């Protein structure tokens, strides 16, 4: 059996989620190659070594440049903070590696564009971890929209609200500084709903009109030395125009009390509607105007083997996928795309669109006007 | 026992809802006066007479001017189509009657302002039927916000979406013409959510940025003579800024597949959040960030006797209020306000604000810019 | 217009609910006669007079025997505690009045049978207030079952759990004594779910196997003089066999923490299922096995004008009925049945079945065996 | 790092779920030994070999006896149909292997007891795959009950209903024959809810009174040769008495239209209640009677890192666990129990109780009486 050797940078939350997915993917899916955990990098060598042992990586390093250059590594997987994505990705591309990176791709559109150009020139494959689009119920939503079952779309409503920074005593980390994170909620979780908007509708956002707000202006420094300003948005909202006439709106927040995995959307069409909430990730609500009079209502579809990518996890409906299962699907796509030399989605070019949308919303917030994307 | 004699104009959906409320109110609430169904007007005399008998009105007429002038009538209740509100209300005010009118108050801000001026000059009481603010669960939401239990508000999200005009074969009626309805969805159902936004937050909307769309451009004429253009919006959305820094957004539609009574809102504060959906009108979801770690979540509060105006309907929680019960509460407020000479909310002045907000959203849609209210 | 003159006994929770319904019914429905609030009885004359004024009764009395004998009264409506039902009903029947009584009909099957015999011999109409079967969504459930849309029924699951006696400090009242209430939870709320079981399925329960428990053995006396034993059940459950092979089970409780109006049922058939919860009384969940593969799920039907008795309250779906609206439908049935001389459901005979089922469950609890009904 | 070598028998649904769990477990949890996929058995060698390659097993065989005897194998994992459990387990125990088996443990209590005796005599560890008790939300439910937060339990309601055999055209397989499956729904899914009842309450069921029904009496033979009788129950229900006075009831079905993963329970205590539905496996509903007046209601707790075993999957709440994650937790418990020589739960002895409860319900169905367990 073929193998695809992974060099993973980062041992945090996302690094672990990727590791789980690499380990599980070939027992879930029939893959054209087996992902092999080859090399794991962390700034702290002991951490890298300990995690490598636990996660099944053959080797560990505290030097991500060594990882990128390692001749055994086929794919460089970047799970480091946002501000490191560009440098790491460019180095990996320069070394001829395929690149699998977490979102948002870059701190700015300019950076993202530079990364796209480099990857496309080098001809390497790229994939960015907008994992929520891989959830079975969301793939089903896309399928229903594309099938025309709910008619022509007339409205898109999306949000990705969480409350991980609601507590004003929570100190600064890289998320709250522009130099390390770029945008705030809009970049971190808002990037998901912007990507999702285009994925679900199959349409391009052409104009935005947005607002950003920092709710908690000052936070304690992580080192205990007093307070410092939060440099990016805690919440944002925008109205959207799409290229085929569709309108919509999105919200995003990191201080929205009560929302834990608050990605949700409503797709309204001329013949029906779809409602989804990621906190109930294995359910999709479907309304069809054509159903019999007196029997119309939202039907709760439980993800099941009839729906995209579910059957590999369970032959029985309603058994439920979890967060990490989305990453397993993502890894399946990564492996298949690379081995079979097929386009990956969303690649760097697609992910750069998200950066472009974020910047347009920020520009609109400044100007108080609609902005072309 | 004192009485308050009602002259009701209109025998449609809203006329009937008002009649039910007048008949039931004094067995539900302890009222300072008994509302008496005195005179009922409809353009068709037979209809007026038949409905008067059924609904307990002492007399009937096909002449609303006679009703307005009738010396026995204390309150003129206007349940006629929007375009008639102004003329009827001005006549009633001129006759020194108190006026209870359905929403939206007027076709335009100018008309609304004229009505406000007349009423205030005449010193009559006015009340406009934004009945959803009287639902027990929504009054509770207002109470929780005002108490500070969810902290300072940082975001308001509201929608009032229905799908009563989703079918493109449905012919024109007065709702679809500017001369008879004014704004479309924005005026008809959107007026509720705009009023609700200020009611719930206790804040004033100072700026709006909006979009309107007519989805079904042409509809059959009611008389069968071919097609004619729809003259107002099928759906609209807007971002909002409030006077104390709060931001938010609203949506409204009459073509939103699946939504029947789709008024819903989310109030997000620095210490908690409230979520409500009128389709489950006796439930309020409350999240408090201060709840114990590991025990935080949205609590479903079923309306009960501890909550505003519920106990009059039932001494036991969870038994459920219905649509018409909101009108009974509204009638209670009408009677108490008039008899005890206390301010009514929302009166014409307050309702004129809603016309002002609607116009500002329409202006913004034209200019593509934020508009001051 | 014809009238039907009501003599109402009792001014508590249920008396008020009946009064609201009498006042509102003819503005909601087209009735063949107008229910007229003629005479109101309460043991306290001042209360009777005050409530009569508020509720629109022409006269008041503190003597229920005078009410029963009053020549102006067409219908005697009994909203007094359970232990008074028999004496009042027999007196009313003896006076040739139609009788409308609250549930449970009697303290025992023997008493109920005596009441049935008297009413049938006298040829008066009787109706018992099992109001939950009149809710639009529940009538729809019955309609769907009867239509065969969910196939042949194979399982019935019902419960009516509340928590109104959960607090052990709550003192005795007539509910907790056998002489005044008969059975406890089983009689008070369990009677609803037993009646509902036969209403929904259209089948007769032929065998039961049950258990009763008193959870809070002692409660304070109402007069403050120490503690006394609770004399009937706080919770009960039973398995059921129906005459056409269907099996099922029910639960009932007055100490079920969290349940406020906890009547709920699941009807499972060979081709589908229905799920309902009275706390969301305007929703019915419908599953049809025949729906398309991958599109099967429970559909949330919001009560609307296509469903039984909804249109009289609102022409628009999803607007929601409330608890008191059920009583308005019940009054419509009372008036129509009496004026048009048609059978009423559930009459005393039907209500006596519920007493019979309650006793069978109590017998089974004693014997530890299945009991024929 | 230590290893624990697994010999897995069976490559169906459950075999695959176990394989995924073995592969993922050490990247999710810190394990005291790494589970190693050593040997995979299937009756078809090609299948065994193909699955071994995909799932990372070092070797494959078509002879389960060889697997059991293999000196490299530490743990024999039995994912074969029910009727093979006994022979395989006894052989594995005889070979001194630890045994991890799927549920129900055996076709009868007698068989189960024999397996318990053998395992305990041999001193090997045993674990049976009642995986739903390992779900984070359900562990939380157990924790809340044990803490006394909802007071003393007064009622347990459980069901495990599915509809996988609803279609009468579905042919026989081993589930529908007594010789291969033992009990029907009661054994297959009912075993889960019986185990769950004792797990959640911490109490022992001492008496049962039950009913079983075969709804679809005849099914097509798998080989197309006409119809044959279904030999076990399609649905069952029982009332329960526990050793500390608690009562309750359970339902189970394989023909319950609409239920896909229909394990659900309600735990009612003197101070609160818990409601759970496995179709929303990462949510727990908690009611506490002690909450403030007017603020009491069921709180939706989303599984999060404060709850048992969640943090290993994600540091953020609400991200959701899936079906297979339960098996990963089960494998963690297997590895820890064996390596640290600690008791496993539920072991063969505990699983034999479930067989005992199933038989008692069957006996009660025959006798029509309560049966001591």
């Amino acid at each position: 059996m073929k193998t695809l050797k992974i060099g993973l940078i980062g041992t945090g939350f996302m690094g672990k989620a990727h590791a789980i997915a690499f380990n599980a993917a070939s027992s879930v899916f029939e893959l054209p190659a087996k992902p092999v955990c080859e090399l794991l990098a962390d700034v702290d060598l002991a951490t890298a070594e300990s995690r490598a042992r636990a996660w099944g990586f053959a080797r560990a390093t505290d030097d991500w440049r060594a990882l990128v250059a390692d001749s055994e590594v086929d794919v460089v997987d970047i799970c480091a903070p946002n501000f490191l994505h560009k440098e790491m990705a460019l180095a990996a591309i320069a070394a001829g590696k395929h690149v699998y990176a977490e979102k948002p791709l870059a701190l700015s559109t300019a950076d993202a564009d530079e990364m796209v150009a480099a990857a496309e020139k080098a001809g390497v494959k790229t994939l960015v971890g907008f994992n929520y689009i891989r959830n079975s119920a969301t793939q089903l939503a896309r399928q229903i929209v594309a099938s025309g079952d709910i008619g022509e779309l007339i409205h898109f409503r999306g949000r990705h609200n969480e409350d991980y920074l609601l507590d004003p005593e929570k100190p600064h980390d890289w998320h709250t500084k522009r130099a390390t994170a770029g945008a705030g909620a809009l970049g971190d979780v808002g990037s998901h709903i912007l990507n999702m908007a285009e994925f679900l509708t199959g349409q391009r956002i052409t104009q935005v009109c947005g607002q950003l707000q920092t709710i908690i202006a000052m936070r304690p420094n992580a080192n205990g030395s007093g307070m410092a300003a939060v440099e990016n948005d805690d919440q944002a909202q925008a109205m959207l125009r799409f290229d085929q006439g569709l309108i919509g709106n999105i919200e995003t927040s990191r201080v929205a009390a009560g929302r834990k995995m608050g990605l949700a959307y409503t797709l309204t069409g001329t013949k029906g509607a779809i409602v989804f909430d990621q906190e109930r990730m294995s359910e999709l609500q479907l309304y069809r105007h054509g159903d019999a009079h007196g029997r119309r209502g939202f039907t709760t579809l439980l993800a099941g083997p009839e729906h995209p990518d579910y059957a590999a996890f369970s032959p029985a409906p309603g058994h439920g996928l979890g967060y990490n299962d989305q990453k397993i699907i993502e890894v399946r796509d990564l492996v298949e795309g690379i081995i079979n030399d097929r386009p990956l989605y969303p690649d760097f070019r697609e992910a750069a669109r998200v950066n472009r949308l974020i910047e347009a919303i920020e520009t609109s917030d400044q100007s108080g006007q609609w902005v072309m994307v």
Side-chain angles (χ1 to χ4, degrees), chain A:
Chain A
M1 196 176 188
K2 279 190 193 174
T3 59
L4 190 70
K5 294 187 174 169
I6 310 296
L8 170 60
I9 308 175
T11 64
F13 168 19
M14 288 313 304
K16 182 173 178 176
H18 284 227
I20 295 170
F22 291 130
N23 279 294
S26 48
S27 43
V28 173
F29 289 107
E30 302 288 320
L31 297 183
K34 191 181 181 66
V36 169
C37 293
E38 180 63 29
L39 184 51
L40 180 65
D42 189 276
V43 289
D44 177 66
L45 186 61
T47 299
E49 287 174 341
S50 142
R51 294 305 85 204
R53 266 193 308 277
W55 300 350
F57 279 80
R59 295 177 287 141
T61 177
D62 59 357
D63 177 6
W64 68 261
R65 291 173 194 281
L67 181 147
V68 159
D70 194 284
S71 64
E72 287 297 302
V73 167
D74 298 315
V75 178
V76 172
D77 180 6
I78 304 172
C79 293
N82 301 355
F83 70 97
L84 295 167
H85 291 182
K86 180 184 171 187
E87 187 178 8
M88 289 172 172
L90 291 178
I93 291 164
K97 310 297 188 188
H98 303 296
V99 184
Y100 176 26
E102 270 306 314
K103 41 53 59 184
L105 180 58
L107 298 189
S108 69
T109 305
D111 283 357
D113 285 346
E114 192 178 336
M115 294 160 80
V116 172
E120 295 187 352
K121 185 168 174 206
V124 299
K125 298 281 181 194
T126 58
L127 182 68
V128 180
F130 290 104
N131 42 259
Y132 299 112
I133 61 172
R134 288 182 158 84
N135 180 26
S136 185
T138 285
Q139 289 192 63
L140 173 60
R142 172 70 189 114
Q143 208 174 67
I144 292 172
V145 168
S147 74
D149 268 9
I150 60 166
E152 188 187 344
L153 290 183
I154 61 170
H155 198 273
F156 172 80
R157 155 75 182 164
R159 66 165 159 81
H160 192 151
N161 291 345
E162 302 195 3
D163 67 1
Y164 56 87
L165 286 181
L166 179 58
D167 186 346
E169 300 307 310
K170 194 158 182 181
H172 281 284
D173 65 14
W174 64 266
H175 292 88
T176 48
K177 298 290 182 178
R178 182 147 285 270
T180 45
L186 187 57
D188 191 27
V189 287
S191 59
H192 280 298
I193 197 64
L194 288 166
N195 167 255
M196 185 68 84
E198 295 198 338
F199 170 75
L200 287 169
T201 64
Q203 298 186 26
R204 290 303 189 183
I205 298 166
T206 52
Q207 293 181 63
V208 299
C209 183
Q211 278 180 290
L212 286 80
Q213 263 191 339
T214 305
I215 298 296
I216 300 166
M218 305 287 287
R219 288 184 180 276
N221 286 315
N223 61 10
S225 63
M227 307 286 280
V230 170
E231 296 175 358
N232 49 24
D233 55 290
D234 284 328
Q235 67 178 6
Q237 60 183 1
M239 296 192 297
L240 312 174
R241 290 190 181 121
F242 292 77
D243 57 0
Q244 296 168 39
L246 174 66
I247 66 169
N249 65 70
I250 58 123
E251 279 174 33
T252 189
S253 178
R254 60 191 185 190
V255 293
R259 300 300 183 193
K260 305 308 174 185
M261 210 314 106
L263 184 159
Y265 53 79
T266 300
L267 291 152
T268 305
T270 52
K271 296 181 182 170
I274 290 169
V275 175
F276 173 80
D277 184 337
Q278 182 78 21
E279 288 179 354
R280 290 177 172 168
M281 65 179 276
S282 294
E283 291 183 20
L284 197 73
Q285 306 282 328
L286 174 62
Y287 180 88
R288 285 172 300 193
H289 186 58
D291 284 352
H293 204 51
R295 296 295 180 273
R296 291 175 196 154
F298 281 92
T299 299
T300 302
L301 304 177
L302 294 178
E306 313 86 356
H307 304 140
D309 285 335
Y310 179 96
F313 295 90
S314 172
H319 280 52
L321 302 189
Y323 174 82
N324 290 314
D325 295 333
Q326 301 171 129
K327 282 290 176 198
I328 293 174
I329 300 172
E330 193 170 271
V331 161
R332 189 270 322 267
D333 289 344
L334 176 78
V335 173
E336 286 193 354
I338 291 173
I339 298 299
N340 300 331
D341 193 16
R342 286 203 298 241
L344 289 169
Y345 176 88
D347 62 5
F348 276 13
R349 177 166 286 275
E350 192 66 30
R353 263 199 74 74
V354 174
N355 274 104
R356 194 158 271 109
L357 290 165
I358 291 170
E359 270 187 23
I361 292 170
E362 289 177 324
T363 303
S364 167
D365 176 60
Q366 296 296 320
S367 69
Q369 298 190 321
W370 284 87
V371 169
M372 306 287 291
V373 182

